[in-house]
């Protein structure tokens, strides 16, 4: 089931108002990301031969969804850098240090969307500004809509998952170490992963 209604590109019926699926239109609204059922993580090549995976345990954000026009949708996410977890405390300590994120000076990584579009079916692309440390650069994230449901507590939920690749050097994360066998300790390319569950805000009382 697609989240957003596709535009009708047939010029013969261009003057006809597209029919919006009521089930999709019902998803329109403001949502709060549920951090206990969401994850924001990354994968990076280590020592040229294996991957290190990590995640950020503390984050918050909001979604504005439009069930008929994806261009009116928006995403805002704040990630607490100090919550990084790769499973090794010493490595996490290095990541939050001045060599990498400098979490004491720059405690948050943020994403603010500037546009959204449907790629086809349940696939979407959200474009926005990613800020790490004192650098802000544009970023496009491809997401798949996993569906909607009402949980056992009566919360209306939607789910998305997806990711994108970045070059960490574009955000000033340039620390590295050369290997005796050639290459470097940490790759420049990093894959960001998103698995998002969000709860719809209650409609305001009349």
């Amino acid at each position: 089931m697609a989240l957003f209604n596709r535009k009708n590109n047939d010029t013969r019926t261009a003057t006809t108002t597209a029919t919006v699926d009521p089930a999709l239109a019902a998803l329109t609204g403001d949502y709060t990301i549920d951090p206990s059922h969401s994850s924001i993580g990354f994968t990076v090549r280590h020592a040229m031969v294996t991957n290190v995976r990590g995640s950020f345990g503390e984050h918050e954000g909001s979604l504005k969804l439009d069930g008929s026009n994806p261009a009116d949708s928006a995403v805002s996410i704040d990630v607490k850098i100090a919550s990084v977890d790769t499973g090794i405390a010493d490595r996490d300590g290095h990541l939050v240090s001045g060599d990498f994120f400098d979490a004491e000076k720059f405690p948050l990584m943020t994403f603010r969307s500037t546009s959204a579009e449907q790629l086809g079916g349940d696939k979407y692309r959200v474009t926005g500004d990613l800020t790490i440390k004192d650098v802000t650069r544009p970023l496009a994230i491809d997401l798949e809509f996993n569906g909607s449901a009402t949980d056992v507590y009566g919360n209306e939920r939607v789910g998305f998952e997806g990711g994108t690749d970045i070059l960490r050097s574009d955000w000033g994360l340039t620390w590295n170490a050369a290997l005796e066998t050639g290459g470097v300790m940490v790759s420049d390319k990093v894959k960001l992963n998103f698995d998002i569950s969000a709860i719809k805000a209650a409609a305001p009382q009349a």
Side-chain angles (χ1 to χ4, degrees):
M1 179 181 70
L3 172 60
F4 301 117
N5 192 52
R6 293 188 182 182
K7 294 181 179 179
N8 189 339
N9 293 320
D10 190 338
T11 56
R12 294 172 301 176
T13 58
T15 58
T16 302
T17 301
T19 301
V20 178
D21 185 336
L24 302 182
L27 298 179
T28 298
D30 296 322
Y31 293 75
T32 299
I33 293 176
D34 178 6
S36 63
H37 292 92
S38 302
S39 65
I40 297 176
F42 59 90
T43 304
V44 60
R45 182 75 69 174
H46 176 262
M48 308 295 291
V49 297
T50 189
N51 289 318
V52 167
R53 293 174 175 80
S55 62
F56 296 93
E58 296 183 39
H59 52 82
E60 61 183 22
S62 61
L63 310 178
K64 175 190 173 185
L65 301 184
D66 190 306
S68 58
N69 183 9
D72 285 341
S73 298
V75 181
S76 176
I77 300 175
D78 293 339
V79 177
K80 187 175 180 180
I81 293 296
S83 69
V84 66
D85 181 6
T86 64
I88 297 178
D90 287 346
R91 182 165 57 204
D92 297 342
H94 192 196
L95 287 173
V96 302
S97 75
D99 282 345
F100 284 95
F101 289 109
D102 197 0
E104 184 173 349
K105 185 176 181 181
F106 304 102
L108 293 178
M109 173 172 62
T110 65
F111 179 79
R112 301 289 184 268
S113 68
T114 55
S115 65
E117 60 180 314
Q118 183 179 11
L119 301 179
D122 290 331
K123 299 184 183 301
Y124 300 87
R125 176 167 295 153
V126 177
T127 301
D129 295 322
L130 176 67
T131 299
I132 302 175
K133 300 176 75 170
D134 56 351
V135 179
T136 299
R137 294 179 61 89
L139 180 70
I141 304 172
D142 288 348
L143 298 167
E144 183 171 357
F145 175 56
N146 287 338
S148 62
T150 300
D151 65 23
V152 296
Y153 301 104
N155 298 312
E156 297 182 59
R157 291 180 178 268
V158 293
F160 294 87
E161 65 177 319
T164 190
D165 293 336
I166 67 170
L167 297 179
R168 60 188 179 90
S169 59
D170 287 343
W171 281 267
L173 302 175
T174 58
W175 182 92
N176 228 319
L179 301 174
E180 292 184 2
T181 54
V184 292
M185 180 69 73
V186 185
S187 71
D188 191 20
K189 180 180 176 181
V190 180
K191 181 174 180 58
L192 301 180
N193 309 295
F194 303 88
D195 195 345
I196 302 298
S197 176
I199 298 173
K200 190 174 186 179
Q205 297 296 321

